Amino acid sequence: DLLTQEKLSAAQDTLVAWVEDYFLPSALGYVLIYILVVALSVPGASVLTITGGFLFGPWIATLLVNIGATLGAFLVFLAARFILGKSVQQKYAKSLAKFNREIDENGQSYLLTLRFIPIFPFWLINLMAGFTTVKARTFLWTTAVGIIPGSFVYAYIGHAGQAVFERGIFTPEILIALILLALIS
């Protein structure tokens, strides 16, 4: 009884109105939750991104997701770097010498590629990058830029979900969302 279209539509209207009335606290709360989810490597960031698109629209949600995900990823990167990264580098210095040279020369290309391709788990990239010699600022900017396409697609899917409540399942928004999802895949 709780999952009828009428009840979900009423809940949607209430949530969207609350976000509109209390935009700044809503946006800050959303970013903080996103930072925690990513920093703690809790599964569900995709659902959180879709929810952001539903509540804030695709453009604002993409911006908020980018801030939250980048900061959360950076916390994981720093933790990995300072807790285990230095000891891994010291213990395996000889074995990692060629790898480190490659990372120093092409690290930004590798990280951007990994971020653009959503096949690789986000949390694993954050963690493993901390074990490398990639510069922190390189990690930050490649994460911020590299997650934009995927974040937008998932936020747009959330935005398209609003159209489902209003006009039914087959809407232009849903078609665009499916095409974008296919392209990013």
Side-chain angles (χ1 to χ4, degrees):
D1 288 341
L2 294 175
L3 295 178
T4 65
Q5 184 167 351
E6 294 81 26
K7 291 197 179 185
L8 289 172
S9 183
Q12 175 216 359
D13 292 341
T14 303
L15 282 171
V16 171
W18 196 87
V19 167
E20 287 175 3
D21 291 344
Y22 303 100
F23 179 78
L24 191 57
S26 299
L28 290 174
Y30 180 80
V31 169
L32 288 174
I33 290 169
Y34 215 106
I35 290 169
L36 285 173
V37 165
V38 172
L40 297 173
S41 300
V42 176
S46 296
V47 172
L48 196 54
T49 304
I50 291 168
T51 303
F54 185 82
L55 294 174
F56 297 101
W59 299 105
I60 293 172
T62 300
L63 175 65
L64 297 175
V65 165
N66 194 290
I67 293 167
T70 301
L71 291 175
F74 192 57
L75 290 173
V76 174
F77 171 84
L78 290 175
R81 165 89 26 111
F82 293 111
I83 294 172
L84 290 175
K86 289 190 182 221
S87 64
V88 167
Q89 286 292 325
Q90 289 171 349
K91 186 172 183 176
Y92 301 104
K94 200 177 231 184
S95 302
L96 290 173
K98 183 179 177 188
F99 175 77
N100 286 335
R101 275 194 309 278
E102 186 67 25
I103 287 293
D104 290 341
E105 292 173 20
N106 301 306
Q108 61 191 23
S109 297
Y110 293 145
L111 283 172
L112 270 177
T113 301
L114 290 171
R115 293 301 191 196
F116 280 135
I117 303 171
I119 295 169
F120 301 102
F122 192 72
W123 65 269
L124 186 60
I125 297 168
N126 302 336
L127 186 65
M128 297 306 286
F131 297 150
T132 70
T133 58
V134 70
K135 291 178 176 39
R137 73 174 171 269
T138 300
F139 178 83
L140 267 173
W141 81 259
T142 56
T143 299
V145 171
I147 65 174
I148 291 171
S151 297
F152 180 77
V153 168
Y154 281 100
Y156 190 84
I157 289 170
H159 170 69
Q162 286 185 339
V164 170
F165 289 120
E166 295 166 4
R167 299 187 305 265
I169 191 75
F170 294 108
T171 64
E173 292 90 342
I174 290 295
L175 180 61
I176 291 169
L178 291 173
I179 290 169
L180 288 172
L181 189 58
L183 288 172
I184 197 78
S185 295

